[in-house]
Amino acid sequence: MANTGTTTDARHRIVPSPAGRTHLVEQGTGPLVLLVHGFPETWYSWRHQLPALAAAGYRAVAVDVRGYGRSSKPAEVAAYRMRRLVADAVAVVEALGEGSAVVVGHDWGAEIASHCALLRPDVFTAVGMLGVPYSPRGGVRPTEMFGRLGDGSQEFYVSYFQEPGRAEAEIEPDVRAWLRGFYAALSGGTMPGPDAPPPYFVSHGGRLADRFPTGPLPGWLDERDLDVYAAEFERTGLTGALNRYRNADRDWEDLADQEGAPVTRPALFIAGGLDPSTTWLSGAIEAFPTTLPRLSGSHILEGCGHWVQQERADEVSRLLIDWLGSLGG
C-alpha cells in the first residue's frame, strides 16, 4: 500500500556535517529518533514512519546519507567509510540541538545505525535494525568473503558493485527502469520464484538487470513513488550510493579494534521473511544473544521482502512505537 503517510507538515532542513552538508526531513516533537535509509533509497523510504512517529510523540528525523539526495557527495571513494558515516550521524544530532537519539536504519542504514550504537553509545541510546542484522567485524576480509559467494558462472552483486563505474554503466542510462526492476526483485509478491536464477547474482559478462522480474510494480510502490526515487538518482547519479559498497575492506581495517564487539545498547530487529538477507546472514541472527545482549525484539514478517518499512508500513511503525515506548526515559 503506497503513500499512506502524511508528511505535509514535515520540514526539510540542511545541517552541517563532516560530509559538508546533510539534508534531513523532520516531523513532530519529543525524543529524537534518527532514521537512516539504505541502498538505493533516500529519506523518502521513511515517509510512512515520519508521521506515525510524530503522532506518537517523537521528533522523527530522516536523513539523506552522504552521497544521496540533497546531502553532500564527496568525490573520494574512501570518504564513504563507516566511521565517517557515524560522524555524520553524530553531527546531525548535535545540529538539531540534542544530546542523544535513538537510531533506526534499514539495509545499509541498519549497518550505519548499529555502528552508531557500537562506536558512539554516548550519543545513541538504542538502535533499531531493519532488514540487515548486526554482524561484528570478523576475521575474514569482506571482499574475500563476497568472492566465495560466486562461482565460475556468476558473481555476487556486492562484488559486482566494487569496481568504480561498472554498475553505474548499467544503471545510469535508464535509472527509472533499473530501480523499478531492483525494487521488484526484492519485494514480496514480485520477486522471482525459487526456480528462477537469483537476482542478486550477475552472470559473468552480464548485468544485474538481466535477472530482474518484469510485470507490475510491487504493491508498496506506485508510479509517483518511483518517480520520486528516479528523479533523485537521475540528478545525483549512483556513484555516491555505490561507494558505500566500495569501502567494505576499509571498514574492516578501520574497525580492527572492534573485532567481535557486541552492541550493548537496547536493540530491535525487524526483517521480511522473504528477504535474502535473513538467509545470507542467518548466522548473525542466531548470534544475537551474544552480539546484541539487550535485544528486546526480533520480528520476521512473513511474506515480506526486503523493503520492510515500505512493504509493511503500518506494522513496522507499530513495532517501532511499541519498542520506543518500552525504552522509558
Side-chain angles (χ1 to χ4, degrees):
M1 180 170 59
N3 292 316
T4 58
T6 301
T7 57
T8 53
D9 58 343
R11 185 160 66 112
H12 291 253
R13 291 180 60 182
I14 298 290
V15 300
S17 68
R21 67 177 185 274
T22 294
H23 169 247
L24 59 86
V25 179
E26 66 173 313
Q27 190 165 0
T29 58
L32 178 60
V33 181
L34 188 66
L35 304 169
V36 188
H37 67 80
F39 175 89
E41 300 171 284
T42 66
W43 75 267
Y44 189 73
S45 68
W46 301 104
R47 63 194 176 280
H48 306 297
Q49 284 69 47
L50 283 167
L53 291 172
Y58 296 95
R59 184 184 187 185
V61 173
V63 299
D64 281 337
V65 175
R66 66 165 67 190
Y68 290 82
R70 292 168 56 192
S71 293
S72 292
K73 300 159 192 63
E76 183 187 7
V77 174
Y80 295 83
R81 62 213 308 160
M82 181 60 75
R83 284 188 180 271
R84 297 193 186 181
L85 295 168
V86 171
D88 287 345
V90 172
V92 168
V93 174
E94 293 174 348
L96 293 172
E98 302 285 355
S100 63
V102 174
V103 60
V104 179
H106 169 251
D107 183 77
W108 266 123
E111 294 249 353
I112 296 168
S114 62
H115 283 83
C116 283
L118 175 70
L119 299 173
R120 293 300 306 269
D122 56 316
V123 175
F124 299 101
T125 58
V127 56
M129 293 154 286
L130 277 59
V132 176
Y134 172 61
S135 182
R137 193 259 197 201
V140 179
R141 184 173 289 272
T143 51
E144 179 183 344
M145 180 177 61
F146 300 143
R148 294 174 186 173
L149 295 173
D151 57 31
S153 65
Q154 60 184 4
E155 181 180 16
F156 191 50
Y157 82 101
V158 178
S159 298
Y160 179 68
F161 285 169
Q162 292 288 309
E163 182 184 344
R166 187 180 178 197
E168 289 93 325
E170 172 184 340
I171 302 168
E172 291 181 357
D174 191 345
V175 170
R176 192 178 194 278
W178 193 90
L179 291 175
R180 178 187 182 115
F182 191 72
Y183 295 147
L186 296 176
S187 294
T190 56
M191 64 177 55
D195 297 328
Y200 36 86
F201 283 90
V202 183
S203 299
H204 283 294
R207 307 173 309 150
L208 198 64
D210 294 339
R211 298 186 177 187
F212 290 170
T214 58
L217 287 170
W220 62 269
L221 183 74
D222 65 20
E223 296 289 347
R224 192 192 77 174
D225 295 326
L226 184 58
D227 285 342
V228 171
Y229 284 125
E232 287 292 83
F233 288 109
E234 286 167 353
R235 180 175 58 79
T236 65
L238 270 292
T239 296
L242 289 163
N243 278 345
R244 178 83 282 276
Y245 293 90
R246 296 163 185 162
N247 279 277
D249 283 352
R250 289 186 184 92
D251 291 342
W252 185 78
E253 294 163 359
D254 289 347
L255 296 167
D257 62 336
Q258 299 293 326
E259 182 161 354
V263 170
T264 58
R265 283 303 196 181
L268 174 74
F269 179 66
I270 307 171
L274 300 177
D275 189 340
S277 296
T278 61
T279 300
W280 304 329
L281 298 171
S282 59
I285 296 172
E286 292 168 2
F288 278 169
T290 299
T291 61
L292 296 174
R294 297 178 68 186
L295 181 73
S296 58
S298 182
H299 306 273
I300 304 298
L301 309 187
E302 294 304 317
C304 181
H306 180 65
W307 318 104
V308 58
Q309 80 270 32
Q310 298 177 88
E311 293 188 50
R312 299 288 179 82
D314 292 344
E315 187 171 3
V316 168
S317 294
R318 178 181 56 78
L319 289 169
L320 287 173
I321 291 165
D322 288 348
W323 173 66
L324 289 165
S326 76
L327 297 174

